[in-house]
Amino acid sequence: MKNQTLIKCLRFDIYRKIPKDLTQPTKTGATISIICILFILFLMFSEFVGFILPEVQSQLFVHNSEKKSSDDGRIPVTLDVSVFKIKCKYLGLDIQDDLGRHEVGFIDNAIKTDINNDEGCRMKVTFKVNKVPGNFHISTHGSAEQPEDPNMSHKINDLTFGEHVAHLNSIPDSSFASLNGNEQQSIEKIASHDYIMKIVPTIYENLQGKQVYPYQFTYAHREYVPYAHGGFRVPPTIWFRYDLNPITVKYTEKRKPFYTFLTTICAIVGGAFTVSGIIDSMIFTASEVFKKHQMGKLG
């Protein structure tokens, strides 16, 4: 009774085996099998990397950034500028905004380093700005004495708004460090440089749900010779004028579900073996026909 039940169950076997004596190995089949296995391994590795590395999705919305960001509701700024032809003792940072803030010669958290044989200066400074339109600028306004031949030719080594996250620069179409590496040589020695920037609030959320708040920005640059009322020239300045965009960009890390990864792996293995089997069968059939043709057995 048990044997009859087993025999009935065997009828449902869709993976019936062919005895090895009835199979014929070929060089073509071996070559296709090796290529197929290598191809499967490559696709599986690519899919595994895609599963491990998170996908970054973006969305736009209007967001009240006052409720988040830094602890005092202001935006942290990191500025690193090299001025090639003005000594450090003359340079300072001035900060202004629409709330009435006006600081001249800001020196807190500022590091100045002589460059170009003490003829130039690299200034690194961190500070915070209010979330209203304003500007900060590098000038000689706070110096007791003025340089004889001021020239604001410069290079921006780094300008970052908000929290600094290094890997954000790799996000396609992002602008977290738009001015980094920008160099300007003044056409006229006493020319000022004006950077007009639009700052875009950004939220980045990782897989663990932790959020950071960097800022992206776009800019336009112009160079001009400034004049005061009465036609008097004023000392050259590097201006950074900013305004905030009401639209917030949110980046969210997402990972594919495991069942999606598993389904893709099964599709890769099954599809590759099926296609390679069809190719091997076609090549084998064609070779057999060709052999019969050479032997004259084709009618």
Side-chain angles (χ1 to χ4, degrees):
M1 185 69 178
K2 290 183 180 180
N3 292 336
Q4 291 180 353
T5 303
L6 179 60
I7 293 174
K8 290 181 179 180
C9 291
L10 291 176
R11 294 176 182 177
F12 294 99
D13 184 8
I14 60 175
Y15 302 103
R16 302 194 178 193
K17 308 302 183 292
I18 301 175
K20 291 185 177 181
D21 295 341
L22 300 179
T23 60
Q24 179 183 350
T26 62
K27 293 181 180 179
T28 303
T31 302
I32 292 175
S33 298
I34 294 173
I35 294 174
C36 176
I37 292 172
L38 293 176
F39 183 66
I40 289 174
L41 291 175
F42 170 75
L43 291 182
M44 289 178 65
F45 176 76
S46 301
E47 190 62 28
F48 178 73
V49 171
F51 173 71
I52 293 298
L53 297 178
E55 176 186 1
V56 179
Q57 300 177 352
S58 63
Q59 63 182 122
L60 302 176
F61 57 93
V62 178
H63 179 67
N64 184 6
S65 58
E66 281 294 331
K67 297 179 181 179
K68 298 288 183 180
S69 190
S70 56
D71 54 356
D72 59 358
R74 297 192 294 173
I75 303 173
V77 182
T78 300
L79 178 64
D80 180 354
V81 178
S82 297
V83 181
F84 303 126
K85 299 179 181 179
I86 298 181
K87 295 182 178 181
C88 287
K89 66 179 182 178
Y90 299 117
L91 291 177
L93 179 71
D94 306 336
I95 306 173
Q96 298 173 312
D97 64 31
D98 286 0
L99 289 180
R101 182 182 183 184
H102 190 183
E103 295 186 43
V104 178
F106 182 88
I107 58 173
D108 295 342
N109 302 317
I111 301 174
K112 297 180 182 179
T113 306
D114 294 326
I115 59 174
N116 293 345
N117 298 319
D118 296 338
E119 292 299 318
C121 181
R122 180 171 182 176
M123 185 166 67
K124 300 180 181 179
V125 57
T126 57
F127 54 99
K128 293 182 179 181
V129 295
N130 295 313
K131 296 179 181 179
V132 295
N135 73 78
F136 49 90
H137 50 275
I138 295 175
S139 69
T140 59
H141 299 160
S143 176
E145 59 177 306
Q146 295 295 312
E148 295 181 1
D149 191 16
N151 186 324
M152 281 294 180
S153 296
H154 63 278
K155 179 180 180 181
I156 301 174
N157 304 302
D158 181 34
L159 176 57
T160 305
F161 291 90
E163 299 178 67
H164 182 70
V165 184
H167 74 274
L168 295 185
N169 294 327
S170 62
I171 298 177
D173 302 321
S174 63
S175 301
F176 292 98
S178 302
L179 279 171
N180 287 17
N182 183 283
E183 183 174 334
Q184 298 290 341
Q185 296 290 341
S186 298
I187 298 174
E188 295 192 45
K189 291 183 179 180
I190 58 171
S192 288
H193 295 269
D194 204 347
Y195 294 95
I196 300 95
M197 301 179 294
K198 278 289 186 180
I199 301 177
V200 182
T202 305
I203 302 173
Y204 190 91
E205 182 176 322
N206 63 15
L207 289 173
Q208 290 72 40
K210 180 182 178 181
Q211 294 184 340
V212 293
Y213 301 90
Y215 288 76
Q216 303 182 67
F217 65 94
T218 59
Y219 76 94
H221 169 266
R222 68 173 180 138
E223 178 181 333
Y224 65 99
V225 177
Y227 290 91
H229 294 293
F232 297 102
R233 290 180 176 177
V234 298
T237 304
I238 305 174
W239 294 88
F240 299 90
R241 308 180 194 273
Y242 61 89
D243 193 4
L244 272 76
N245 196 310
I247 301 298
T248 295
V249 179
K250 183 177 182 181
Y251 295 107
T252 307
E253 290 184 351
K254 297 289 185 182
R255 178 169 287 165
K256 295 179 181 178
F258 181 73
Y259 66 82
T260 301
F261 169 71
L262 192 60
T263 301
T264 305
I265 293 298
C266 292
I268 289 173
V269 175
F273 273 116
T274 300
V275 172
S276 62
I278 293 173
I279 294 174
D280 178 63
S281 178
M282 292 173 62
I283 294 175
F284 180 76
T285 301
S287 64
E288 290 296 310
V289 172
F290 181 71
K291 288 178 183 179
K292 289 182 180 180
H293 175 69
Q294 285 185 324
M295 297 172 62
K297 292 185 178 182
L298 289 178

